[in-house]
Amino acid sequence: MIQKNKISSTTPPERNRRGGLVQEVVQHLASQIQAGRLNPGDQLPTESAIMKELAVSRTVVREAISRLQASALVETRHGIGTFVLQAPTTDNFSIGDQDMSTVEDVINVLELRISLETEAAGLAAQRAKPENLDAMGKALQSFAAAIDGKSDAVPSDFEFHLVVAKATGNQHFADLMTYLGKRIIPRTRVNTADQAPEGREAYLRRVHSEHESIYNAIRNQDAESARAAMRTHLSNSRDRLRKPREDKT
């Protein structure tokens, strides 16, 4: 008997561009299939259900399903619904929660981010529009407010990095950051803030200060300074994770 499975409740971050939203829905549904929550032969939730779960329009849902059809992951039977054909092949690039389970895993992803986001910051300095700078400023304000509110500031931290990626004007940077999601923030995987020698609040304020340096360089259209500020920020995160491990050797 055909089952109608529900999409998990994890909702991707909101996006401003339809193309980005379409890719988020594609990635979300593909992850449900890959994880076995939707199996070959299962019927996808209705368009209305997906729209409600992910807060997207019908057009976005239809474009996402079209992409899944083009990848031969699903097929639509007119008058019946859309059904899963197969799981995405495992030889495609992916970074799942299982790949972020240890400190070493987090360090590895930070090394990837250093190469990716350093260049993104430089491109953002050259291409950022006023609305991008406004969005960065709002993310910084949210981060500061989260510190004052004794929060971990993870949402605003990720939002800042996502906005920098968007400011490149190259959708691939933003799509990859969206795919990686909030789990790329180290303190979602390890207790970097709680274990910081200077204390949680001082640690978060230092991260905030590093973000401000990146923002100022981008606002000043100084590509090299933006690259250097981003590289320093992410390298500091990596080195903070490395130090306790090195002290034990």
Side-chain angles (χ1 to χ4, degrees):
M1 184 175 68
I2 295 173
Q3 294 181 328
K4 290 186 178 181
N5 289 311
K6 291 184 178 180
I7 302 174
S8 73
S9 59
T10 303
T11 303
E14 291 185 2
R15 299 292 303 277
N16 294 324
R17 297 180 60 182
R18 191 175 76 185
L21 284 168
V22 170
Q23 187 60 25
E24 285 181 12
V25 176
V26 169
Q27 291 167 350
H28 188 74
L29 290 173
S31 72
Q32 301 301 299
I33 298 170
Q34 185 70 63
R37 299 186 184 94
L38 290 167
N39 296 303
D42 286 350
Q43 186 174 355
L44 291 186
T46 64
E47 290 179 357
S48 297
I50 298 173
M51 289 165 59
K52 183 177 179 181
E53 285 280 350
L54 303 182
V56 295
S57 69
R58 190 176 301 276
T59 299
V60 166
V61 173
R62 289 181 175 176
E63 289 186 17
I65 290 176
S66 293
R67 292 190 190 182
L68 292 171
Q69 290 172 335
S71 300
L73 297 180
V74 304
E75 69 172 2
T76 297
R77 303 171 191 169
H78 296 292
I80 302 177
T82 301
F83 298 83
V84 177
L85 291 178
Q86 63 179 354
T89 56
T90 56
D91 57 353
N92 290 337
F93 172 81
S94 66
I95 297 178
D97 288 341
Q98 71 276 10
D99 302 310
M100 296 279 286
S101 58
T102 68
V103 172
E104 187 62 36
D105 290 336
V106 177
I107 291 172
N108 289 339
V109 172
L110 277 168
E111 290 177 347
L112 172 65
R113 290 181 62 197
I114 288 170
S115 61
L116 173 74
E117 294 190 63
T118 293
E119 182 58 22
L123 292 174
Q126 296 169 344
R127 303 172 180 174
K129 298 177 180 178
E131 56 265 33
N132 299 134
L133 295 174
D134 288 344
M136 285 180 215
K138 289 177 181 178
L140 288 173
Q141 291 172 2
S142 296
F143 196 115
I147 296 173
D148 293 338
K150 309 301 180 185
S151 167
D152 60 12
V154 166
S156 50
D157 194 337
F158 174 72
E159 180 64 19
F160 178 80
H161 286 273
L162 179 59
V163 171
V164 171
K166 289 178 179 179
T168 65
N170 182 331
Q171 189 63 34
H172 296 303
F173 281 96
D175 285 347
L176 182 53
M177 288 297 295
T178 300
Y179 165 74
L180 293 172
K182 294 177 185 176
R183 67 176 180 265
I184 65 171
I185 306 300
R187 58 186 177 282
T188 65
R189 319 304 299 181
V190 291
N191 296 324
T192 50
D194 292 332
Q195 296 173 3
E198 68 269 41
R200 180 183 182 82
E201 182 174 340
Y203 166 85
L204 291 175
R205 292 198 184 281
R206 179 166 61 170
V207 172
H208 180 57
S209 177
E210 292 170 0
H211 282 180
E212 287 183 319
S213 295
I214 298 166
Y215 168 72
N216 288 333
I218 292 174
R219 184 184 59 185
N220 293 333
Q221 300 181 316
D222 187 338
E224 287 309 309
S225 292
R227 290 188 181 96
M230 181 66 81
R231 185 183 301 109
T232 296
H233 170 54
L234 295 176
S235 296
N236 284 345
S237 295
R238 178 196 61 194
D239 295 344
R240 283 191 286 264
L241 289 173
R242 278 180 173 172
K243 190 174 187 307
R245 296 164 61 84
E246 293 172 350
D247 290 344
K248 293 179 181 179
T249 60

